[in-house]
Amino acid sequence: MRIKTHSTLLLLAASITLAGCQSTPKNTIIDKKVYVPPKVLIEPLADTDNDGVPDIIDNCPNTPEDVVTDEYGCPVAVSLIGNFMMELRVFFERNSNKLQTKYLIEVEKVAEKMHSDPELVAVLSGHISEPEAAQIAVDMDGKMNQVEADKRQLGRERAQIIKSALVKRNIARDKIYTFDCADNMPIASNDTEEGMSMNQRIYGKALKADDFYTGSDHEQSLTYYKEFCQQF
C-alpha cells in the first residue's frame, strides 16, 4: 500500500512537470519603441493685404483697407452696410468709360434698395488713375488750365454712365448726386497694373439723405466730397 502511494505521487509530479513544459510562453517584446508621429507646426498662411484671403489664392493681393472683397480677394461690386447704406463699386478699363455688362446687375441692386426706402439718395463719384491723368496732360502739351479741365472729363463720364443707368430704372434725377474726383482720391498705389485698375472706378452709395446733407459721418458727406471733387 505504501509503494503504490509513492508511485502515484511520482506519476503526479511528472504530469505537472510535463504540463508546465507545454504551456504557451508569454509574448514579451524587449525594447520595443513606440512610434510617435512627429509634430508638424502649421504656420498661418500669409495675407499681405489683411483682407482675410491668403495670398496663395488672392487674385487681388494689394486690396486697400476697408474694401469688401470676395472669396478670391477682389473688391465686390455691391456691399450692404447695415440697413441704411449700400455701396457700389464699378471698375473700368484704361481710358474707357464703357460700363461692362457684369456690373448691370449690381446697379439694379442699388436701384431696388432705393425703391425700398424713399429717404435714400445715390451718391456717385467718378475716379481716374494717375496714368490716365498723365496721358491727358501729355496730350494737352502742358497747358495746365486746359489739362485741369480735361482731367475731370473721364471721371465725369464714368459717373454719368451710372447715373443714366439708375434713371432708366426709375430713380429720380434729383436723388442722384454726381462728383468728378479725377485722380484726387486713389484707393490703391498707381505703381502696379492692379492698383491702377482699382483707381479707374465709380464709387457709389445709397444712403439716407439727412446723413449726406448734414455730414453726420464726414467721409460720407457732401462737404467731404466737395473737398476733393467737383460736383456736376
Side-chain angles (χ1 to χ4, degrees), residues 1 3 28 38 40 44 52-53 62 69 79 85 109 119-120 150-151 157 167 171 184 188 203 205 216-217 220 230:
M1 186 71 176
I3 296 175
T28 303
V40 178
V53 179
N62 298 311
T69 62
S79 60
M85 184 173 133
K109 290 177 183 178
E119 294 185 10
L120 297 179
D150 283 359
K151 268 183 68 173
E157 292 171 356
V167 170
I171 302 300
N184 298 326
Y203 175 61
K205 295 175 297 206
S216 57
D217 181 348
Q220 309 295 345
Q230 182 184 58

Side-chain angles (χ1 to χ4, degrees), residues 8-211:
T8 301
L9 292 174
L10 288 176
L11 181 59
L12 179 60
S15 299
I16 294 173
T17 301
L18 182 60
C21 293
Q22 293 178 347
S23 62
T24 304
K26 294 182 179 179
N27 184 20
T28 303
I29 301 176
I30 301 175
D31 296 332
K32 179 180 179 181
K33 294 183 178 180
V34 178
Y35 175 74
V36 179
K39 292 182 179 180
V40 178
L41 297 178
I42 301 176
E43 297 293 337
L45 294 175
D47 180 12
T48 305
D49 55 7
N50 295 313
D51 62 356
V53 179
D55 291 349
I56 193 171
I57 60 170
D58 197 333
N59 291 338
C60 300
N62 298 311
T63 305
E65 293 184 8
D66 302 324
V67 173
V68 180
T69 62
D70 60 20
E71 65 269 29
Y72 299 108
C74 293
V76 297
V78 168
S79 60
L80 183 62
I81 301 178
N83 295 320
F84 306 110
M85 184 173 133
M86 174 178 278
E87 292 184 319
L88 169 70
R89 294 177 178 84
V90 177
F91 300 93
F92 293 82
E93 298 293 332
R94 178 79 60 84
N95 296 320
S96 171
N97 64 359
K98 183 178 179 181
L99 177 62
Q100 300 178 61
T101 55
K102 66 182 180 180
Y103 292 115
L104 288 176
I105 190 171
E106 314 303 342
V107 174
E108 186 74 40
K109 290 177 183 178
V110 174
E112 290 176 1
K113 180 67 176 175
M114 294 185 68
H115 284 306
S116 70
D117 187 343
E119 294 185 10
L120 297 179
V121 297
V123 181
L124 306 173
S125 57
H127 304 264
I128 63 176
S129 63
E130 283 184 7
E132 288 177 321
Q135 183 64 45
I136 294 171
V138 170
D139 291 346
M140 297 310 302
D141 297 323
K143 296 179 181 179
M144 296 305 295
N145 56 339
Q146 189 66 44
V147 168
E148 288 301 317
D150 283 359
K151 268 183 68 173
R152 300 183 184 277
Q153 192 63 38
L154 185 56
R156 181 186 297 256
E157 292 171 356
R158 288 170 174 170
Q160 187 61 50
I161 289 290
I162 306 301
K163 179 177 181 178
S164 297
L166 289 172
V167 170
K168 287 180 180 178
R169 288 158 176 79
N170 298 316
I171 302 300
R173 290 181 178 274
D174 61 2
K175 297 184 70 174
I176 304 173
Y177 293 81
T178 49
F179 297 87
D180 192 334
C181 302
D183 58 336
N184 298 326
M185 299 172 67
I187 59 171
S189 170
N190 285 283
D191 296 334
T192 66
E193 284 293 332
E194 181 185 15
M196 289 183 283
S197 296
M198 289 185 180
N199 292 328
Q200 295 157 192
R201 74 195 191 280
I202 286 294
Y203 175 61
K205 295 175 297 206
L207 74 167
K208 293 285 187 181
D210 287 346
D211 292 339

